[in-house]
Amino acid sequence: MESSVSLGVIIVLLVITVGSSAGVQNSIFSDVANKVVTAHGEELYIFVNLLIEYYTPKCLRIMLYTNATQDLFIISRLTEGMNKVSQGNKMHPENQTNHGNGINPYHATVPEPKPHIIINSDMTSQTENTLAYINDLSKNVIPSSCVTYVLTETPNPNLLSLLTASSYRQLTRYFYVYTQSSGEMKSFLLDERWSDQENVVALTRHKKTRFDSILWKASIRQLMHPSGSPQVQVVNRWTVNDVFRNMHEIFPEQMGNFYGLKFTAVSLAFRPFIDYQVTEEGSKVVRPKPCVDIFILDVIAQTLNLTYELVMSQDGQWGYVKDDGTWGGVVGDVQHKRANFSLCLTMTQSRRESIDFTKVYFIDPLTFLAVKSRPSPLWQKLITPFQNSVWLVTACSVVGGMLVYYVICAVQSALDAPHHSKSFHVFINMFGSFVNQTFLIIPWLTAGRLLVGFWLLYGLLITTYYKTSLTGTLAVPFASPTVDTIQQLLDSGLKYGMVSAKGAQYRILSTSKLPLYQKMLKNLYLHPPDQLIRLALEGKYAYFSYKSNHQFRVATQYTNEYGETDLHVASAEFFGAGYAWGFPRGAVYLRTFDKVLWRIVQAGLIKKWVQDLYFMDKMSSIRKRSLSILKQNSDILSTPKPDDQLVVLNVNHLQGPFLILVLGSGVGLILLVMEVFAAHLHLTHTS
């Protein structure tokens, strides 16, 4: 077959040299070219099918060709679905054997995996629309889905951009591309647009071997190499006259060893998951401190042989959508590839549309932090034994009793008894019963005596209840219930806020259609986290954030050695956030990072590290801070540690009675001055 092709080429050259007629020349050249194309296409067809059979899982198969392609045979074979290469059996009957681990394609039935979609690349708009549609659908496929592309020539720039466009990580893509020479193969594989694609194979046809066979090579791009730059590696060879041997895996694990490659991780401080120390003013590069995500990253770095540096986001934000539709903050640094990946980041649907995520490794609900309710000031203990309604009813009873008593005294006066019905005398008589004073004059009317008797009993009961309740409130301080739900928070009148970094929790409130969230957003304040903690300690604010962060800070920074704290983490939980790491769309290294991360989760190390960090930071806080410094940070401890259970009343407990004495004396002194002044004016006027 090859000799006839060579002979045909020689004939063509001779015809051209002697200047034969155009018709004869074109006829001979066309006939020879068809033979070359047929032989070439048949070999490419066999080689592609063998590689797909051995190395590629069952996928959606898409073939791209052009009208000008020389590989018309592979197109016809794939579309016709022929079952075996009968012509090959006739041409090479001596090779109809099984050679050990190799397979002679002419001995066995050649696999016929027909493509599901065949695209003519010359039809530019249709091709672009089809590939764009496939990429869009990839976000809805199951994780095990994949697609295999067979290209009968290297794609043009527009087509290459579509093929290498970042796809959703659920979809695995395989590429088999025919290149016409070694130079074209290297240029194709080392093109930076393939930098995020692991499964790319270039098929090249080389010169005849010593066995008079055409040599075919399968080459791949070795993404990670000790040299620090990608390299081309030949992974398989095959000739028509020889068996197909499984020399190397054409889709090897490329991300198992990064050869010390340095990655940039971006994040913001968020204990216990992220913590760092700023080492240089104005620099975004920071020094990691012990925290959960750094523990994870250290394991990944050791397992995959890589190094890393940690940086803060450029604008100090977690993630927000700009006016142009792109992201800012940590999400934006990942989206625009200013960082290779982020550490702890809340996964949301809007973020998933712009960057890729690992599996969620920690679930953390949103809640709020507020100060515990403190006992009211001790001077208020005089009124706290009774509720306001009781005081109101008691006051009304005194007024009513005074009116009845005044009427009785007036009636008694009309019946020729001495008149003692002045309003002041009536008030003194009625009020005296509450302070163990008897009535100055007992009415002789039966109605008056009956009123006095019941009034004395009423005064006795009221004063007894008051005394016992006052004793209880002085001995056992009482505080109103701490705000614990969102509705209680809204009813309490407390202000509330979030960190000004505008994380996922802020975006949830700002985009939510729920009336409760919309109501909260209207009165939401944004402050730095340290300022929010201080405002919460002062009892002015409730601080919204994730529960683990609140619990960690309260336990390690705002709890004294007795386990007492002024702060309370609410039991109300909403929006269970999932933490994951963010990667640029289509990042080829996400898969191996995710694999190691998930092993860490399955081993239970995340929960263990969180607990270890709680203990470490709490012990460090106790060692470094005295109780007085801790009281300064938390303003004041709500409940002092009692020495025993016996409560002895002191001056502090009795500040209410002393306050009444001072107020009464002050009012009396003022009235005395006024009376002296009035008397002086009267004497001056009369004289």
Side-chain angles (χ1 to χ4, degrees), residues 9 15 92 111 114 153 178 290 317 333 338 384 414 430 456 503 520 538 592-593 608 617-618 621 658 663 678:
V9 173
V15 172
H92 305 284
K114 294 190 297 182
E153 65 179 19
Y178 170 69
Q317 304 289 323
D333 289 341
R338 292 189 288 265
T384 52
M430 302 300 290
L456 291 175
M520 292 173 58
E538 293 174 357
T592 48
F593 273 63
K608 178 183 182 302
D617 277 34
K618 189 172 184 177
S621 178
F658 287 108
L663 289 176

PDB file of all heavy atoms in Angstrom, residues 9 15 92 111 114 153 178 290 317 333 338 384 414 430 456 503 520 538 592-593 608 617-618 621 658 663 678:
ATOM      1  N   VAL A   9       3.014   9.279  -6.013  1.00  0.00           N
ATOM      2  CA  VAL A   9       3.618  10.590  -5.816  1.00  0.00           C
ATOM      3  C   VAL A   9       4.653  10.865  -6.890  1.00  0.00           C
ATOM      4  O   VAL A   9       4.753  11.980  -7.449  1.00  0.00           O
ATOM      5  CB  VAL A   9       4.229  10.686  -4.413  1.00  0.00           C
ATOM      6  CG1 VAL A   9       5.010  11.991  -4.265  1.00  0.00           C
ATOM      7  CG2 VAL A   9       3.147  10.588  -3.348  1.00  0.00           C
ATOM      8  N   VAL A  15       4.533  14.005 -14.022  1.00  0.00           N
ATOM      9  CA  VAL A  15       3.530  14.669 -14.852  1.00  0.00           C
ATOM     10  C   VAL A  15       3.664  16.174 -14.758  1.00  0.00           C
ATOM     11  O   VAL A  15       3.573  16.898 -15.758  1.00  0.00           O
ATOM     12  CB  VAL A  15       2.117  14.221 -14.444  1.00  0.00           C
ATOM     13  CG1 VAL A  15       1.059  15.058 -15.161  1.00  0.00           C
ATOM     14  CG2 VAL A  15       1.934  12.749 -14.759  1.00  0.00           C
ATOM     15  N   HIS A  92      -2.469  -7.708   6.231  1.00  0.00           N
ATOM     16  CA  HIS A  92      -1.471  -8.191   7.186  1.00  0.00           C
ATOM     17  C   HIS A  92      -1.941  -9.472   7.836  1.00  0.00           C
ATOM     18  O   HIS A  92      -2.198  -9.526   9.038  1.00  0.00           O
ATOM     19  CB  HIS A  92      -1.210  -7.132   8.260  1.00  0.00           C
ATOM     20  CG  HIS A  92      -0.803  -5.812   7.673  1.00  0.00           C
ATOM     21  ND1 HIS A  92       0.454  -5.583   7.176  1.00  0.00           N
ATOM     22  CD2 HIS A  92      -1.506  -4.666   7.486  1.00  0.00           C
ATOM     23  CE1 HIS A  92       0.530  -4.340   6.704  1.00  0.00           C
ATOM     24  NE2 HIS A  92      -0.653  -3.769   6.887  1.00  0.00           N
ATOM     25  N   PRO A 111     -12.678  -1.804  18.122  1.00  0.00           N
ATOM     26  CA  PRO A 111     -13.843  -1.168  18.739  1.00  0.00           C
ATOM     27  C   PRO A 111     -14.351  -0.020  17.881  1.00  0.00           C
ATOM     28  O   PRO A 111     -13.584   0.685  17.239  1.00  0.00           O
ATOM     29  CB  PRO A 111     -13.288  -0.655  20.077  1.00  0.00           C
ATOM     30  CG  PRO A 111     -11.814  -0.553  19.867  1.00  0.00           C
ATOM     31  CD  PRO A 111     -11.450  -1.656  18.912  1.00  0.00           C
ATOM     32  N   LYS A 114     -18.752   5.154  18.209  1.00  0.00           N
ATOM     33  CA  LYS A 114     -19.177   6.262  17.370  1.00  0.00           C
ATOM     34  C   LYS A 114     -19.426   7.503  18.230  1.00  0.00           C
ATOM     35  O   LYS A 114     -19.910   7.412  19.347  1.00  0.00           O
ATOM     36  CB  LYS A 114     -20.455   5.887  16.620  1.00  0.00           C
ATOM     37  CG  LYS A 114     -20.259   4.775  15.603  1.00  0.00           C
ATOM     38  CD  LYS A 114     -21.487   4.624  14.723  1.00  0.00           C
ATOM     39  CE  LYS A 114     -22.691   4.219  15.556  1.00  0.00           C
ATOM     40  NZ  LYS A 114     -23.888   4.013  14.694  1.00  0.00           N
ATOM     41  N   GLU A 153      -7.791  18.027  13.623  1.00  0.00           N
ATOM     42  CA  GLU A 153      -6.706  18.973  13.392  1.00  0.00           C
ATOM     43  C   GLU A 153      -6.683  19.956  14.554  1.00  0.00           C
ATOM     44  O   GLU A 153      -7.645  20.062  15.317  1.00  0.00           O
ATOM     45  CB  GLU A 153      -6.883  19.704  12.069  1.00  0.00           C
ATOM     46  CG  GLU A 153      -8.101  20.605  12.009  1.00  0.00           C
ATOM     47  CD  GLU A 153      -8.219  21.315  10.675  1.00  0.00           C
ATOM     48  OE1 GLU A 153      -7.596  20.851   9.706  1.00  0.00           O
ATOM     49  OE2 GLU A 153      -8.917  22.330  10.612  1.00  0.00           O
ATOM     50  N   TYR A 178      -5.267  15.625  16.649  1.00  0.00           N
ATOM     51  CA  TYR A 178      -4.253  15.252  15.661  1.00  0.00           C
ATOM     52  C   TYR A 178      -3.398  16.468  15.316  1.00  0.00           C
ATOM     53  O   TYR A 178      -3.914  17.539  14.986  1.00  0.00           O
ATOM     54  CB  TYR A 178      -4.904  14.709  14.391  1.00  0.00           C
ATOM     55  CG  TYR A 178      -3.925  14.540  13.258  1.00  0.00           C
ATOM     56  CD1 TYR A 178      -2.929  13.567  13.316  1.00  0.00           C
ATOM     57  CD2 TYR A 178      -3.991  15.369  12.143  1.00  0.00           C
ATOM     58  CE1 TYR A 178      -2.023  13.421  12.283  1.00  0.00           C
ATOM     59  CE2 TYR A 178      -3.084  15.226  11.102  1.00  0.00           C
ATOM     60  CZ  TYR A 178      -2.098  14.255  11.184  1.00  0.00           C
ATOM     61  OH  TYR A 178      -1.194  14.113  10.163  1.00  0.00           O
ATOM     62  N   PRO A 290      -1.466  29.614  64.372  1.00  0.00           N
ATOM     63  CA  PRO A 290      -2.210  28.345  64.483  1.00  0.00           C
ATOM     64  C   PRO A 290      -3.715  28.556  64.360  1.00  0.00           C
ATOM     65  O   PRO A 290      -4.314  29.330  65.101  1.00  0.00           O
ATOM     66  CB  PRO A 290      -1.835  27.844  65.885  1.00  0.00           C
ATOM     67  CG  PRO A 290      -0.498  28.448  66.151  1.00  0.00           C
ATOM     68  CD  PRO A 290      -0.537  29.811  65.496  1.00  0.00           C
ATOM     69  N   GLN A 317     -12.167  43.107  52.156  1.00  0.00           N
ATOM     70  CA  GLN A 317     -13.542  42.627  52.180  1.00  0.00           C
ATOM     71  C   GLN A 317     -13.563  41.128  51.896  1.00  0.00           C
ATOM     72  O   GLN A 317     -12.654  40.575  51.289  1.00  0.00           O
ATOM     73  CB  GLN A 317     -14.390  43.352  51.132  1.00  0.00           C
ATOM     74  CG  GLN A 317     -14.395  44.868  51.270  1.00  0.00           C
ATOM     75  CD  GLN A 317     -15.169  45.343  52.471  1.00  0.00           C
ATOM     76  OE1 GLN A 317     -16.192  44.785  52.826  1.00  0.00           O
ATOM     77  NE2 GLN A 317     -14.687  46.392  53.129  1.00  0.00           N
ATOM     78  N   ASP A 333     -10.419  38.316  44.424  1.00  0.00           N
ATOM     79  CA  ASP A 333      -9.015  37.925  44.256  1.00  0.00           C
ATOM     80  C   ASP A 333      -8.904  36.534  43.649  1.00  0.00           C
ATOM     81  O   ASP A 333      -8.007  36.268  42.847  1.00  0.00           O
ATOM     82  CB  ASP A 333      -8.298  37.967  45.607  1.00  0.00           C
ATOM     83  CG  ASP A 333      -8.082  39.388  46.101  1.00  0.00           C
ATOM     84  OD1 ASP A 333      -8.152  40.313  45.268  1.00  0.00           O
ATOM     85  OD2 ASP A 333      -7.848  39.570  47.308  1.00  0.00           O
ATOM     86  N   ARG A 338      -5.736  36.579  41.191  1.00  0.00           N
ATOM     87  CA  ARG A 338      -4.680  37.231  41.954  1.00  0.00           C
ATOM     88  C   ARG A 338      -4.180  36.313  43.060  1.00  0.00           C
ATOM     89  O   ARG A 338      -3.110  36.548  43.623  1.00  0.00           O
ATOM     90  CB  ARG A 338      -5.191  38.550  42.537  1.00  0.00           C
ATOM     91  CG  ARG A 338      -5.483  39.619  41.480  1.00  0.00           C
ATOM     92  CD  ARG A 338      -5.780  40.952  42.124  1.00  0.00           C
ATOM     93  NE  ARG A 338      -7.069  40.963  42.777  1.00  0.00           N
ATOM     94  CZ  ARG A 338      -8.188  41.394  42.225  1.00  0.00           C
ATOM     95  NH1 ARG A 338      -8.168  41.847  40.965  1.00  0.00           N
ATOM     96  NH2 ARG A 338      -9.323  41.403  42.892  1.00  0.00           N
ATOM     97  N   THR A 384     -38.657  47.489  92.757  1.00  0.00           N
ATOM     98  CA  THR A 384     -38.696  46.208  92.034  1.00  0.00           C
ATOM     99  C   THR A 384     -39.498  45.111  92.730  1.00  0.00           C
ATOM    100  O   THR A 384     -39.914  44.156  92.050  1.00  0.00           O
ATOM    101  CB  THR A 384     -37.263  45.698  91.778  1.00  0.00           C
ATOM    102  OG1 THR A 384     -36.519  45.684  93.005  1.00  0.00           O
ATOM    103  CG2 THR A 384     -36.553  46.576  90.766  1.00  0.00           C
ATOM    104  N   ALA A 414     -71.134  66.619 109.947  1.00  0.00           N
ATOM    105  CA  ALA A 414     -72.483  67.175 109.793  1.00  0.00           C
ATOM    106  C   ALA A 414     -73.410  66.727 110.909  1.00  0.00           C
ATOM    107  O   ALA A 414     -74.413  67.378 111.208  1.00  0.00           O
ATOM    108  CB  ALA A 414     -73.062  66.757 108.438  1.00  0.00           C
ATOM    109  N   MET A 430     -54.581  57.700 106.306  1.00  0.00           N
ATOM    110  CA  MET A 430     -54.586  56.564 105.381  1.00  0.00           C
ATOM    111  C   MET A 430     -53.172  56.027 105.129  1.00  0.00           C
ATOM    112  O   MET A 430     -52.938  54.822 105.074  1.00  0.00           O
ATOM    113  CB  MET A 430     -55.229  56.965 104.053  1.00  0.00           C
ATOM    114  CG  MET A 430     -56.666  57.472 104.196  1.00  0.00           C
ATOM    115  SD  MET A 430     -57.789  56.251 104.924  1.00  0.00           S
ATOM    116  CE  MET A 430     -57.906  55.073 103.609  1.00  0.00           C
ATOM    117  N   LEU A 456     -56.812  48.791 107.724  1.00  0.00           N
ATOM    118  CA  LEU A 456     -55.642  48.363 108.501  1.00  0.00           C
ATOM    119  C   LEU A 456     -55.189  46.966 108.088  1.00  0.00           C
ATOM    120  O   LEU A 456     -53.991  46.684 107.991  1.00  0.00           O
ATOM    121  CB  LEU A 456     -55.971  48.403 109.996  1.00  0.00           C
ATOM    122  CG  LEU A 456     -56.160  49.796 110.606  1.00  0.00           C
ATOM    123  CD1 LEU A 456     -56.605  49.674 112.073  1.00  0.00           C
ATOM    124  CD2 LEU A 456     -54.859  50.589 110.520  1.00  0.00           C
ATOM    125  N   GLY A 503     -19.402  40.197  54.490  1.00  0.00           N
ATOM    126  CA  GLY A 503     -19.293  38.789  54.144  1.00  0.00           C
ATOM    127  C   GLY A 503     -20.601  38.240  53.622  1.00  0.00           C
ATOM    128  O   GLY A 503     -21.530  38.973  53.258  1.00  0.00           O
ATOM    129  N   MET A 520     -34.623  43.735  59.372  1.00  0.00           N
ATOM    130  CA  MET A 520     -33.328  43.802  60.041  1.00  0.00           C
ATOM    131  C   MET A 520     -32.350  44.672  59.261  1.00  0.00           C
ATOM    132  O   MET A 520     -31.563  45.427  59.841  1.00  0.00           O
ATOM    133  CB  MET A 520     -32.763  42.390  60.216  1.00  0.00           C
ATOM    134  CG  MET A 520     -33.519  41.518  61.198  1.00  0.00           C
ATOM    135  SD  MET A 520     -32.909  39.819  61.200  1.00  0.00           S
ATOM    136  CE  MET A 520     -31.192  40.079  61.607  1.00  0.00           C
ATOM    137  N   GLU A 538     -20.907  46.963  76.257  1.00  0.00           N
ATOM    138  CA  GLU A 538     -21.541  48.124  76.879  1.00  0.00           C
ATOM    139  C   GLU A 538     -23.061  47.992  76.917  1.00  0.00           C
ATOM    140  O   GLU A 538     -23.744  48.866  77.460  1.00  0.00           O
ATOM    141  CB  GLU A 538     -21.158  49.387  76.106  1.00  0.00           C
ATOM    142  CG  GLU A 538     -19.674  49.727  76.217  1.00  0.00           C
ATOM    143  CD  GLU A 538     -19.290  50.900  75.335  1.00  0.00           C
ATOM    144  OE1 GLU A 538     -20.184  51.402  74.606  1.00  0.00           O
ATOM    145  OE2 GLU A 538     -18.125  51.318  75.373  1.00  0.00           O
ATOM    146  N   THR A 592      -7.311  17.556  43.417  1.00  0.00           N
ATOM    147  CA  THR A 592      -6.429  16.897  44.379  1.00  0.00           C
ATOM    148  C   THR A 592      -6.466  17.595  45.737  1.00  0.00           C
ATOM    149  O   THR A 592      -6.352  16.947  46.777  1.00  0.00           O
ATOM    150  CB  THR A 592      -4.992  16.858  43.844  1.00  0.00           C
ATOM    151  OG1 THR A 592      -4.635  18.161  43.357  1.00  0.00           O
ATOM    152  CG2 THR A 592      -4.870  15.858  42.708  1.00  0.00           C
ATOM    153  N   PHE A 593      -6.598  18.924  45.752  1.00  0.00           N
ATOM    154  CA  PHE A 593      -6.778  19.632  47.028  1.00  0.00           C
ATOM    155  C   PHE A 593      -8.026  19.107  47.736  1.00  0.00           C
ATOM    156  O   PHE A 593      -8.015  18.840  48.942  1.00  0.00           O
ATOM    157  CB  PHE A 593      -6.917  21.138  46.780  1.00  0.00           C
ATOM    158  CG  PHE A 593      -5.621  21.880  46.714  1.00  0.00           C
ATOM    159  CD1 PHE A 593      -4.693  21.605  45.717  1.00  0.00           C
ATOM    160  CD2 PHE A 593      -5.313  22.863  47.631  1.00  0.00           C
ATOM    161  CE1 PHE A 593      -3.500  22.294  45.639  1.00  0.00           C
ATOM    162  CE2 PHE A 593      -4.122  23.564  47.573  1.00  0.00           C
ATOM    163  CZ  PHE A 593      -3.208  23.281  46.568  1.00  0.00           C
ATOM    164  N   LYS A 608     -11.548  18.056  65.927  1.00  0.00           N
ATOM    165  CA  LYS A 608     -10.484  17.942  66.925  1.00  0.00           C
ATOM    166  C   LYS A 608      -9.664  19.225  66.983  1.00  0.00           C
ATOM    167  O   LYS A 608      -9.353  19.734  68.073  1.00  0.00           O
ATOM    168  CB  LYS A 608      -9.570  16.770  66.598  1.00  0.00           C
ATOM    169  CG  LYS A 608      -8.393  16.603  67.564  1.00  0.00           C
ATOM    170  CD  LYS A 608      -7.491  15.478  67.155  1.00  0.00           C
ATOM    171  CE  LYS A 608      -6.348  15.300  68.153  1.00  0.00           C
ATOM    172  NZ  LYS A 608      -5.543  16.546  68.289  1.00  0.00           N
ATOM    173  N   ASP A 617      -6.124  28.497  73.304  1.00  0.00           N
ATOM    174  CA  ASP A 617      -6.308  29.941  73.464  1.00  0.00           C
ATOM    175  C   ASP A 617      -6.843  30.308  74.842  1.00  0.00           C
ATOM    176  O   ASP A 617      -6.488  31.343  75.404  1.00  0.00           O
ATOM    177  CB  ASP A 617      -7.257  30.464  72.386  1.00  0.00           C
ATOM    178  CG  ASP A 617      -6.540  30.720  71.078  1.00  0.00           C
ATOM    179  OD1 ASP A 617      -5.599  29.966  70.788  1.00  0.00           O
ATOM    180  OD2 ASP A 617      -6.917  31.648  70.357  1.00  0.00           O
ATOM    181  N   LYS A 618      -7.682  29.459  75.392  1.00  0.00           N
ATOM    182  CA  LYS A 618      -8.218  29.744  76.725  1.00  0.00           C
ATOM    183  C   LYS A 618      -7.122  29.674  77.771  1.00  0.00           C
ATOM    184  O   LYS A 618      -7.015  30.538  78.644  1.00  0.00           O
ATOM    185  CB  LYS A 618      -9.339  28.768  77.048  1.00  0.00           C
ATOM    186  CG  LYS A 618     -10.100  29.140  78.317  1.00  0.00           C
ATOM    187  CD  LYS A 618     -11.332  28.260  78.485  1.00  0.00           C
ATOM    188  CE  LYS A 618     -12.125  28.702  79.707  1.00  0.00           C
ATOM    189  NZ  LYS A 618     -13.357  27.907  79.862  1.00  0.00           N
ATOM    190  N   SER A 621      -4.896  32.659  77.388  1.00  0.00           N
ATOM    191  CA  SER A 621      -5.525  33.868  77.905  1.00  0.00           C
ATOM    192  C   SER A 621      -5.455  33.929  79.425  1.00  0.00           C
ATOM    193  O   SER A 621      -5.199  34.977  80.007  1.00  0.00           O
ATOM    194  CB  SER A 621      -6.983  33.929  77.439  1.00  0.00           C
ATOM    195  OG  SER A 621      -7.633  35.066  77.961  1.00  0.00           O
ATOM    196  N   PHE A 658     -31.455  55.005 102.096  1.00  0.00           N
ATOM    197  CA  PHE A 658     -30.652  56.208 102.287  1.00  0.00           C
ATOM    198  C   PHE A 658     -30.976  57.254 101.217  1.00  0.00           C
ATOM    199  O   PHE A 658     -30.948  58.466 101.495  1.00  0.00           O
ATOM    200  CB  PHE A 658     -29.160  55.874 102.254  1.00  0.00           C
ATOM    201  CG  PHE A 658     -28.677  55.167 103.487  1.00  0.00           C
ATOM    202  CD1 PHE A 658     -28.335  53.818 103.462  1.00  0.00           C
ATOM    203  CD2 PHE A 658     -28.566  55.846 104.703  1.00  0.00           C
ATOM    204  CE1 PHE A 658     -27.895  53.172 104.601  1.00  0.00           C
ATOM    205  CE2 PHE A 658     -28.117  55.210 105.843  1.00  0.00           C
ATOM    206  CZ  PHE A 658     -27.789  53.852 105.801  1.00  0.00           C
ATOM    207  N   LEU A 663     -33.405  62.407  99.809  1.00  0.00           N
ATOM    208  CA  LEU A 663     -34.390  63.140  99.035  1.00  0.00           C
ATOM    209  C   LEU A 663     -35.390  63.856  99.943  1.00  0.00           C
ATOM    210  O   LEU A 663     -35.743  65.027  99.723  1.00  0.00           O
ATOM    211  CB  LEU A 663     -35.125  62.181  98.084  1.00  0.00           C
ATOM    212  CG  LEU A 663     -34.313  61.647  96.902  1.00  0.00           C
ATOM    213  CD1 LEU A 663     -35.138  60.628  96.114  1.00  0.00           C
ATOM    214  CD2 LEU A 663     -33.876  62.785  96.001  1.00  0.00           C
ATOM    215  N   ALA A 678     -41.077  83.269 102.452  1.00  0.00           N
ATOM    216  CA  ALA A 678     -42.462  83.755 102.366  1.00  0.00           C
ATOM    217  C   ALA A 678     -42.842  84.541 103.616  1.00  0.00           C
ATOM    218  O   ALA A 678     -43.531  85.580 103.538  1.00  0.00           O
ATOM    219  CB  ALA A 678     -43.410  82.566 102.168  1.00  0.00           C
TER     220      ALA A 678
END
